[in-house]
Amino acid sequence: MQTGHPQVPARDDIERLRFVTENYTQIQGLRLVPFGLFFLAKGLGGEAFTDKWVLFPSLLAAFLLFFLIGRYYESRFGRVRRKTSCLVKDALAAGLTLILITAGVQLENSYDLPFNLVALVVGGLFFYIHLHSVGRRSHYGWLALLFVLLGLLPATGWVTAEQIFAPQPTIGDFMLAGAYILGGVLDHRMLARSFPPDPDEESDDDAF
């Protein structure tokens, strides 16, 4: 005979929900997809994206979709107020990444380096995300490895460091596109599976 005692959530479920709550903004994965599409279009467009009238409207469209998809997450899952310490840490990580990428571009333009610094910085960022997720977003660990290998590719002599993100070839843009889309979809899947479905509305979240 059932006693009717409520089921106690497993410790792993509690830790998973705590992680999702603390990192709610970062794992709204579908918000990354527009940037993946931007880099895909940039890779396919090649030299056309050197025109500011093509580049900036495309990037603006990606940011617009980013905010619109954020509204979807707010209506679907609600809002979470993050700790100030988490906001500061994310801002420092983003700022450091931007500084390193800018410095990498300047060094690559000034010196004939046997590696691509931008790809290595992106790989480092993905590795930071992997470590911060304590294994719950392990796909970023694999993405980090891929971008480190991409950054070291010029050492083989097949391409130069400048060619990784140049109009031709466009291997860097295609890899960024795949990373944003794959990482975004997997993050969204984790978020969607962390909350019970709303019985009053149908959702396609389980399709991911």
Side-chain angles (χ1 to χ4, degrees), residues 95-169:
L96 179 60
T97 300
L98 182 60
I99 291 172
L100 290 176
I101 288 178
T102 302
V105 171
Q106 294 297 324
L107 288 172
E108 288 171 5
N109 291 335
S110 302
Y111 302 97
D112 185 18
L113 300 176
F115 45 82
N116 184 276
L117 284 173
V118 175
L120 293 177
V121 170
V122 173
L125 175 62
F126 285 151
F127 187 65
Y128 166 80
I129 295 173
H130 168 67
L131 291 179
H132 180 67
S133 69
V134 292
R136 297 188 183 278
R137 302 163 80 187
S138 58
H139 45 282
Y140 284 103
W142 293 106
L143 290 175
L145 177 60
L146 287 176
F147 273 89
V148 168
L149 293 177
L150 177 64
L152 298 177
L153 186 61
T156 65
W158 295 342
V159 295
T160 64
E162 295 82 1
Q163 288 177 319
I164 295 296
F165 290 102
Q168 296 294 335

Side-chain angles (χ1 to χ4, degrees), residues 4-14 17:
H5 292 302
Q7 184 177 3
V8 178
R11 180 177 180 82
D12 184 65
D13 291 336
I14 296 175
L17 289 174

Side-chain angles (χ1 to χ4, degrees), residues 3-65:
T3 60
H5 292 302
Q7 184 177 3
V8 178
R11 180 177 180 82
D12 184 65
D13 291 336
I14 296 175
E15 292 297 328
R16 176 171 52 84
L17 289 174
R18 180 181 292 116
F19 173 81
V20 168
T21 301
E22 292 178 351
N23 298 275
Y24 177 62
T25 303
Q26 287 85 347
I27 58 178
Q28 294 178 7
L30 295 184
R31 303 181 79 178
L32 297 179
V33 174
F35 295 102
L37 296 177
F38 166 79
F39 282 110
L40 178 61
K42 185 173 181 292
L44 294 173
E47 294 184 357
F49 271 75
T50 59
D51 185 347
K52 64 181 180 180
W53 296 108
V54 175
L55 177 63
F56 289 112
S58 301
L59 191 58
L60 181 62
F63 274 105
L64 178 60
L65 288 172

